[in-house]
Amino acid sequence: MARSREQKAESRRAIVNSAAKLFREKGVDGVTVAEIMDAAGLTHGGFPRHFASKQELVTEALADIFESSNRQPLLPTDVRGFARAYLRPEHRDAAGAGCVFAALGPEMSRAPAPTRRVLTEEMRRQIEQFIASAPGDDPHQKRVAAIGSWAAMIGAMLLARISDSEELSDEILQATRAFLGAEP
């Protein structure tokens, strides 16, 4: 019995990990449950034993991405250091392992409330983290700078990924780093 529960937990973890990567690479609507299950090494028929719906999986996968990155931050926590690391071609080219907001933002604006709640909590956490290093003379100015800086980064990443010109894409990333005072 314990092994069965352990196997089920391992299968669920594999599904969540596969979904997190595929959603960021192809978008939520661009991935089927069958593709997720195949990537997890499982059969499509087993999905209902783990999740009531694809949307439930979306919400859990996002929560898992944020929880994992908050336990072991992949990027610096200060605004300028984050921008230097975030606004790079390597991040642009690795959507499956990158920023949820840049990869899924437009889709997630139409997501149901439970999914948007997970995203909103992560937005609050990230903004609070950036406030500590944001420029400004008072808390309001620092908050404005933190939000504006992060919004510029996400927007730049989104534009850089949309462009079919690598030259323009690189220029967008470089210009936004410069705009944020994050050039080396």
Side-chain angles (χ1 to χ4, degrees):
M1 198 73 167
R3 179 68 183 140
S4 178
R5 274 187 236 159
E6 192 176 296
Q7 286 174 321
K8 185 175 181 181
E10 288 173 15
S11 294
R12 187 178 179 99
R13 165 85 7 237
I15 295 166
V16 170
N17 289 341
S18 295
K21 182 178 187 292
L22 289 170
F23 289 151
R24 288 180 285 181
E25 285 177 351
K26 299 179 177 186
V28 172
D29 292 337
V31 179
T32 66
V33 168
E35 289 173 304
I36 294 165
M37 295 299 284
D38 185 54
L42 302 165
T43 62
H44 178 250
F47 183 81
R49 287 192 290 275
H50 299 280
F51 298 96
S53 67
K54 182 179 176 184
Q55 191 59 53
E56 181 184 342
L57 173 58
V58 170
T59 303
E60 185 167 326
L62 294 174
D64 188 71
I65 291 166
F66 298 140
E67 184 181 314
S68 296
S69 66
N70 292 336
R71 275 194 316 268
Q72 298 176 4
L74 302 174
L75 299 172
T77 57
D78 66 292
V79 174
R80 287 192 175 101
F82 188 95
R84 275 190 294 280
Y86 183 94
L87 296 167
R88 292 283 173 210
E90 297 81 11
H91 179 218
R92 175 198 61 210
D93 299 341
C99 175
V100 166
F101 296 98
L104 297 174
E107 269 186 281
M108 292 299 98
S109 68
R110 294 178 289 283
T115 304
R116 291 181 61 211
R117 191 171 310 112
V118 167
L119 292 158
T120 299
E121 287 308 311
E122 180 61 16
M123 283 186 260
R124 286 187 174 117
R125 190 206 61 76
Q126 188 67 60
I127 290 165
E128 288 303 316
Q129 178 179 300
F130 284 157
I131 286 172
S133 64
D137 296 326
D138 63 56
H140 175 73
Q141 287 177 343
K142 291 175 92 48
R143 184 171 180 80
V144 167
I147 292 170
S149 296
W150 194 36
M153 288 182 240
I154 293 169
M157 187 55 63
L158 182 60
L159 292 174
R161 287 180 177 163
I162 290 171
S163 177
D164 69 350
S165 164
E166 189 170 338
E167 182 182 339
L168 176 59
S169 180
D170 289 343
E171 182 182 11
I172 290 167
L173 297 176
Q174 186 281 323
T176 307
R177 283 192 313 270
F179 177 77
L180 296 172
E183 282 291 283

